[in-house]
Every structure is written in C-alpha cells, then in structure tokens.
Amino acid sequence: MSLENVRLSQPAKDRLVWLKRTTGIAQWNVLCRWALALSLKDPSTPLVKEIVTDSNVEMSWKTFTGQHGDVYLALLKQRCVADGEEPTDENVAKTLTVHLHRGIGYLGGHKEMATIEGLVGSVVAP
C-alpha cells in the first residue's frame, strides 16, 4: 500500500457517482478531499479497517491533493499519531484509505450534504 495512487472500492465509487450528480461537483478528487476532511474531523476511529479497493476509480496522490499534498500528508500523519499509530508510509496510506471511505459514507449518508452548502457546513461547523 502506498500513497502514490489513491484507489476506491466499488461501493465508494457508486456513492461518489450519486454525489457528483446531486452536488454538481464533477471531479472525483474534489469530492474525495471533502470526504477525507469530514472523516478526519471525527475524533472516533473508523470501524472498518480493511477495504477492498476494487473499483476502476484511481487517481495519483498529486491529483487527489492538488497543490496541498504536504498539508494532506501532515494531517494524515497527525491522525496516525493521535490514533496511537507510528506514522510510517504504510500506516499513513492505510489511514488515508479508511478515512477516505468513511468520509464518502458520511457524504452519501446525509441528505443535507447533497448540496455544496451542506458540504461546506459539514466540514466547517463546530
């Protein structure tokens, strides 16, 4: 597992297809960034530890993070430490996968997040 490529499971892809349609946000990477931020905001540990990344949705780390790769990497390493994990490359990649998928679940599971206003409110609200 590495950070070079970010892959999604088929259920995550299906949820993102719905989100793209309902929010009007056309890029996978933009929705995935929102999902990651939403999951990292939640202090609880994701319940699912193993995720099968079996869909055809794959993007490079650079595409996923854009110009803010260092920020996302720092957030993931900080989360590893907060969860009692050593911030190794493997642990950081695993943290990305589980938080990305949990966040996609959060986005697809709440009607208010079907709009851009709802997405913004979910991440920036206290």
Side-chain angles (χ1 to χ4, degrees):
M1 193 179 304
S2 77
L3 285 180
E4 290 179 25
N5 291 304
V6 179
R7 294 199 63 197
L8 299 177
S9 67
Q10 187 61 45
K13 175 192 173 186
D14 295 343
R15 212 168 273 240
L16 286 176
V17 168
W18 177 81
L19 284 165
K20 285 173 70 172
R21 208 173 33 248
T22 58
T23 64
I25 298 172
Q27 274 69 36
W28 302 106
N29 60 331
V30 173
L31 288 167
C32 287
R33 290 175 195 166
W34 281 103
L36 180 62
L38 187 59
S39 181
L40 290 174
K41 179 183 173 190
D42 183 342
S44 69
T45 302
L47 297 176
V48 177
K49 299 293 183 195
E50 297 298 323
I51 295 171
V52 179
T53 53
D54 57 350
S55 79
N56 62 351
V57 176
E58 182 175 353
M59 64 194 97
S60 70
W61 173 254
K62 177 98 173 115
T63 297
F64 172 70
T65 62
Q67 63 185 11
H68 304 291
D70 292 341
V71 174
Y72 286 104
L73 183 58
L75 288 169
L76 289 166
K77 286 182 176 183
Q78 188 278 331
R79 185 58 187 244
C80 283
V81 172
D83 290 344
E85 300 279 338
E86 187 73 27
T88 64
D89 290 347
E90 185 174 338
N91 286 342
V92 169
K94 186 175 180 179
T95 298
L96 169 63
T97 300
V98 297
H99 279 280
L100 178 56
H101 282 80
R102 178 172 76 169
I104 291 169
Y106 284 172
L107 288 177
H110 300 287
K111 275 180 112 175
E112 65 272 7
M113 292 189 211
T115 65
I116 292 175
E117 294 81 9
L119 288 173
V120 172
S122 68
V123 176
V124 298

